[in-house]
Amino acid sequence: MDFALTDEQRLLRDTVREFAREEVAPVAEDLDRTKAFPYDIVAKLGALGLMGIPFPEEYGGGGADTLTYALAVEELGRIDSSVCITMAAHISLGTTPIYLWGTDQQRSEWLPELCAGRKLAAFGLTEPEAGSDAGATRTEARLEDGEWVIDGAKQFITNAGTDISGCVTITAVTSRGDGGREISNLVVPNGTPGYEPGAPYRKMGWNASDTRPLAFTDCRVPEDALLGRRGDGFKQFLQILDGGRIGVAAMSVGLAQGALDEAIAYAKERQAFGQAISKFQTIQAKIADLSAQIEAARLLVHRAAMEKDAGKSFTLTAAQAKLITGRLAVRACEEAVQIHGGYGYIEEYPVCRFYRDAKILTIGEGTDEVQQMVIAGQLGL
Ligand SMILES: Cc1cc2nc3c(=O)[nH]c(=O)nc-3n(C[C@H](O)[C@H](O)[C@H](O)COP(=O)(O)OP(=O)(O)OC[C@H]3O[C@@H](n4cnc5c(N)ncnc54)[C@H](O)[C@@H]3O)c2cc1C
C-alpha cells in the first residue's frame, strides 16, 4: 500500500484545511448556538467544487477518488461536524445513489445542481420501526396508472428539509405481482404534494445540520422516479452504507484530530503548579496515546478508501474503520475536555461542542453493534 498522497490529493486537502480554518472556524460556535443551517458555507463549498468531489466532471463534479473525498471530509470534521456532515451526507448518501443507478435523464436532471451545491440531496432509509433493521421498512409504494403512490414515514433524515433541499431517495416496499416483498429506491423531489419534511429535531449535537422526520401521504411520483431496478433497493442501500462508512470514519478521524489540536494548544498555554500543564507526564501520555491512535485510525480509513478506488471489496475495512474511529472520536473529545478542566465544560471552547458532536459517530450510518455484526459476518462467523 502506497501511503504517499498525490499532488492533487495534497492540494485538495490543503485547500479544504485553509477553507475550514478561515471560513468555517470563525462561525462554527455561532452556527451551533443558533442552530442555523450554514447556507453561506454550503454555497462556498459548492463554488469550490467540494459538494461534488467524487462525481464526474461532465456533471460538474470534481472527478476525484474516494481517498481525496476522505481527506476533504477529515479537514472539515476537524473544525466543525455540522458543516462536515452536511457535505458528507449530501455526497455519500444523497447524491451517490443517483449517480450510481440513475438513468441518463435522472443524472442530468439532478447531478449538475447537486454537484454545484445549489441543491442538496438526502437519503431516507431509517424509519420509526426500521433503523439497524433497515430491511423492516414499512413505507410502501404501489404502482397506479403510471405513478408510484407512496405512504409511510422516515425519521432522522439529514439534509431533507432545508430551503435548498432538492430531493430525497427513499427505500419503499414495492410488493410484487406474486405478493412477494421487495424493496426499491425512489427519488422524491421536495415540493411533491404528499411529501412533508417535519420540524427539525432538537439534538445533542450537529446543531447546525438539518435532521427531520419525513411523512409521505398519498404522495405521487412518476413511474420513472424508480432508481435502478425494481426490487434492488436492499442491495443498493447496503452498498450506499458501505461507502458512507468511509466518509463517517474520515469525519471521526477529523473530529478526533480537531480535539487533539485544541488539547495540545490549551495544554501549552494553561499554567498550573508553576508550569504549563503540557509538562505533566499524565497530560503528555493522554496526548501521545491519542496522537498514535488517530494516526492508526487515519491509515485504516485511507486503506478502506484505496480498496474502494481499486474496485476491491471494502466492506470489512470500512466497517472496521467506522467502528474504530467513532469510538476514538468520542474518547478523544472526552480527553480533550478533561485536559481543558472546567473550561472544557464551557461553550466558548470548541472542545465543548466537539464532545456533544462526537456521540452520534457511534450511532449514525450503522451503530457500533451493526459494525460488529458486519465485521463478524465478513470473518465468516
Ligand atoms: C443526527 C442523525 C442523522 C441521521 N441521518 C440519517 C440519514 O440521513 N438517513 C437515514 O436513513 N438515517 C439517518 N439517521 C439514522 C441512523 O442511521 C439510525 O439512528 C441508526 O442506524 C440506528 O437506528 P435506530 O436509531 O433505529 O436504532 P435501533 O436500530 O433501534 O438500535 C437501538 C440499539 O439496539 C442495537 N441493536 C439493534 N439491532 C441489534 C442487533 N441485531 N444486535 C445487537 N444490537 C442491536 C443498536 O446497535 C442500538 O444500540 C440519522 C440519525 C441521527 C441521530
Side-chain angles (χ1 to χ4, degrees):
M1 191 168 135
D2 180 5
F3 290 111
L5 300 180
T6 64
D7 288 346
E8 290 79 16
Q9 287 163 342
R10 224 172 308 114
L11 178 67
L12 190 115
R13 181 198 63 191
D14 294 348
T15 304
V16 181
R17 184 173 292 173
E18 193 182 323
F19 176 83
R21 282 182 184 160
E22 290 184 4
E23 304 281 346
V24 183
V27 294
E29 190 267 334
D30 192 53
L31 289 170
D32 176 71
R33 186 169 35 80
T34 58
K35 304 183 187 339
F37 187 79
Y39 288 105
D40 290 350
I41 289 175
V42 169
K44 287 177 185 168
L45 287 170
L48 276 173
L50 298 175
M51 295 300 278
I53 295 173
F55 306 111
E57 290 169 14
E58 63 175 300
Y59 299 115
D65 56 18
T66 311
L67 180 54
T68 308
Y69 168 60
L71 292 167
V73 170
E74 182 185 334
E75 292 302 329
L76 281 182
R78 196 168 171 177
I79 300 294
D80 185 58
S81 295
S82 290
V83 167
C84 185
I85 189 57
T86 299
M87 181 189 85
H90 168 75
I91 290 176
S92 293
L93 300 181
T95 309
T96 300
I98 298 176
Y99 169 61
L100 286 180
W101 302 296
T103 57
D104 286 347
Q105 208 221 316
Q106 285 168 321
R107 285 175 163 198
S108 50
E109 178 182 354
W110 291 111
L111 293 182
E113 290 296 287
L114 297 178
C115 289
R118 286 189 290 273
K119 285 193 174 151
L120 287 177
F123 187 58
L125 175 67
T126 306
E127 299 188 0
E129 307 295 332
S132 304
D133 185 11
T137 296
R138 292 188 180 179
T139 296
E140 281 184 342
R142 58 185 192 282
L143 206 48
E144 265 181 30
D145 304 326
E147 286 181 325
W148 291 104
V149 185
I150 307 167
D151 285 287
K154 299 286 173 181
Q155 72 176 10
F156 306 147
I157 308 307
T158 305
N159 282 342
T162 73
D163 296 348
I164 55 169
S165 296
C167 62
V168 59
T169 296
I170 58 160
T171 47
V173 177
T174 49
S175 298
R176 298 194 307 258
D178 63 4
R181 192 175 191 277
E182 63 179 13
I183 294 176
S184 305
N185 273 315
L186 296 166
V187 181
V188 184
N190 282 61
T192 305
Y195 165 35
E196 291 289 337
Y201 295 99
R202 289 175 57 228
K203 295 174 290 194
M204 179 190 292
W206 285 7
N207 278 333
S209 77
D210 183 77
T211 324
R212 297 168 193 259
L214 313 179
F216 300 88
T217 314
D218 197 26
C219 170
R220 289 164 187 267
V221 290
E223 189 169 356
D224 63 9
L226 185 72
L227 201 55
R229 284 206 315 251
R230 181 174 174 161
D232 274 359
F234 192 83
K235 210 168 58 182
Q236 289 171 341
F237 80 66
L238 289 181
Q239 193 175 330
I240 290 301
L241 293 179
D242 265 358
R245 280 172 195 148
I246 298 176
V248 176
M251 187 172 166
S252 300
V253 171
L255 180 54
Q257 182 67 56
L260 181 63
D261 296 341
E262 295 294 329
I264 291 173
Y266 187 80
K268 285 181 177 168
E269 195 184 281
R270 177 70 177 171
Q271 299 282 318
F273 299 95
Q275 58 183 339
I277 62 169
S278 61
K279 297 296 173 202
F280 299 130
Q281 281 188 335
T282 45
I283 299 280
Q284 291 177 356
K286 287 182 198 295
I287 287 174
D289 278 357
L290 285 178
S291 154
Q293 287 158 10
I294 291 169
E295 190 56 27
R298 179 179 287 120
L299 293 178
L300 191 56
V301 175
H302 289 193
R303 177 170 169 174
M306 288 161 100
E307 284 176 356
K308 181 166 185 282
D309 288 332
K312 296 182 182 162
S313 166
F314 60 94
T315 300
L316 174 62
T317 323
Q320 290 170 330
K322 167 75 172 58
L323 180 65
I324 293 289
T325 58
R327 290 173 171 179
L328 176 60
V330 171
R331 213 170 59 73
C333 293
E334 191 190 354
E335 292 286 37
V337 168
Q338 191 69 21
I339 289 170
H340 279 65
Y343 290 108
Y345 206 68
I346 305 298
E347 288 287 359
E348 69 201 65
Y349 284 84
V351 291
C352 188
R353 167 169 48 91
F354 289 180
Y355 186 64
R356 290 185 287 97
D357 283 338
K359 184 57 199 159
I360 183 61
L361 296 166
T362 66
I363 297 170
E365 200 89 23
T367 62
D368 281 4
E369 293 74 19
V370 165
Q371 308 312 318
Q372 288 168 328
M373 281 162 54
V374 172
I375 292 167
Q378 290 287 312
L379 297 177
L381 302 176

